[in-house]
Amino acid sequence: MIEVKNEQELERMRAAGKVTAAVLKQMTELVKPGISTLELDKAAEKTIRSFGATPLFLGYYGFPGSICASVNEEVVHGIPKKDRILKSGDIISIDTGARLDGFCSDAAITLGVGKVSEEAQKLMDVTKKSLYKAIGQIKPGRRLGDAQHAVETFAMQHNMGVVRDYCGHGIGRNMHEEPNIPNFGKPGTGPILEAGMTLAIEPMLTAGTYKVRELDDGWTVVTLDGSYAAHFEHTIAVTANGSEILTAFE
């Protein structure tokens, strides 16, 4: 069952979305060669708390950071570390979220560090565009499978792997609510969308195999073949006329 939010609840989600958007904008300014992923994490936490919000990820099932900082072949859930220093040519996926006034927001971006390869840039571009392809399918009366299919189709057109073990989700009072939203699916299937539904859509694509594994730290997920991965995510509200991106910052 997908919860439908009323206008007052959506306003609170918009406020939470602005916090996460501010963090991601900050990350675009901070990511550069020589910075550690722990420095990024500390900056993100400070920004989240400056809004009177709390970091959504910090302490979640024991996760130690306010951001997931996943570098190169790391797909998701990378743990921020003091000794993980970014260098030119890396790409980093930063996933973060905030809780404010009882409601949550969740979003992610992948950024290039210094000068990156053409292959890495293409991966980031395709992943970001696949997110917006999915968002374009979000409107009342459409099926959620239409958005899932949009990601898969666009990714496959560009020979990217579509990670299958992790997916998007509903969001609201909790970070993870119904439904699960895989980045693949058949058009015309899945729940019918209604105004007031709020969803976190998050394509995770790879430059090689879609297969992944979890490292011994119990969190970090990497590609099985060591190929680079990219991750983009927005919290979306279904509106009467289409959709609204609650975590937009560009």
Side-chain angles (χ1 to χ4, degrees), residues 75-93:
V75 183
V76 285
H77 305 161
I79 297 173
K81 296 177 181 177
K82 182 179 180 179
D83 60 355
R84 190 65 188 265
I85 310 298
L86 299 181
K87 62 184 187 301
S88 185
D90 287 340
I91 66 173
I92 179 171
S93 298

Side-chain angles (χ1 to χ4, degrees), residues 104-172:
C104 303
S105 61
D106 184 8
I109 51 171
T110 303
L111 300 169
V113 183
K115 183 175 177 59
V116 302
S117 68
E118 289 184 11
E119 180 186 48
Q121 188 62 54
K122 179 183 177 183
L123 171 64
M124 292 188 289
D125 291 344
V126 171
T127 308
K128 183 176 182 179
K129 288 177 183 177
S130 75
L131 171 59
Y132 287 94
K133 292 284 186 181
I135 293 171
Q137 298 296 319
I138 301 294
K139 57 190 70 176
R142 298 297 295 268
R143 296 271 187 176
L144 189 54
D146 297 342
Q148 297 168 209
H149 181 70
V151 173
E152 181 182 24
T153 301
F154 191 72
M156 293 184 69
Q157 286 172 350
H158 293 276
N159 298 313
M160 300 298 175
V162 180
V163 173
R164 293 175 173 266
D165 292 5
Y166 298 86
C167 63
H169 47 91
I171 187 170

Side-chain angles (χ1 to χ4, degrees), residues 6 18 45 107 118 132 152 159 161 167 211 213 235 241:
N6 61 35
K18 288 178 181 178
E45 181 179 358
E118 289 184 11
Y132 287 94
E152 181 182 24
N159 298 313
C167 63
K211 295 180 180 180
R213 65 183 179 90
T235 295
N241 300 316

Side-chain angles (χ1 to χ4, degrees), residues 37 96 103 219:
T37 57
T96 191
F103 283 83
W219 284 105

Side-chain angles (χ1 to χ4, degrees), residues 1-5 9-10 13-14 16-17 20 56-57 95-100 102-107 168-181 196-202 233-238 244 246-247:
M1 177 133 181
I2 307 175
E3 183 184 7
V4 174
K5 280 77 174 179
E9 292 167 332
L10 288 174
M13 289 203 65
R14 289 185 184 101
T20 296
L56 193 56
F57 295 3
D95 190 2
T96 191
R99 183 186 299 276
L100 181 66
F103 283 83
C104 303
S105 61
D106 184 8
H169 47 91
I171 187 170
R173 289 177 177 83
N174 300 295
M175 174 162 52
H176 293 120
E177 298 184 350
E178 292 295 328
N180 288 331
I181 309 173
M197 291 178 174
T198 47
L199 311 166
I201 299 174
E202 50 179 320
E233 175 184 17
H234 274 309
T235 295
I236 311 295
V238 184
E244 177 184 353
L246 304 184
T247 46

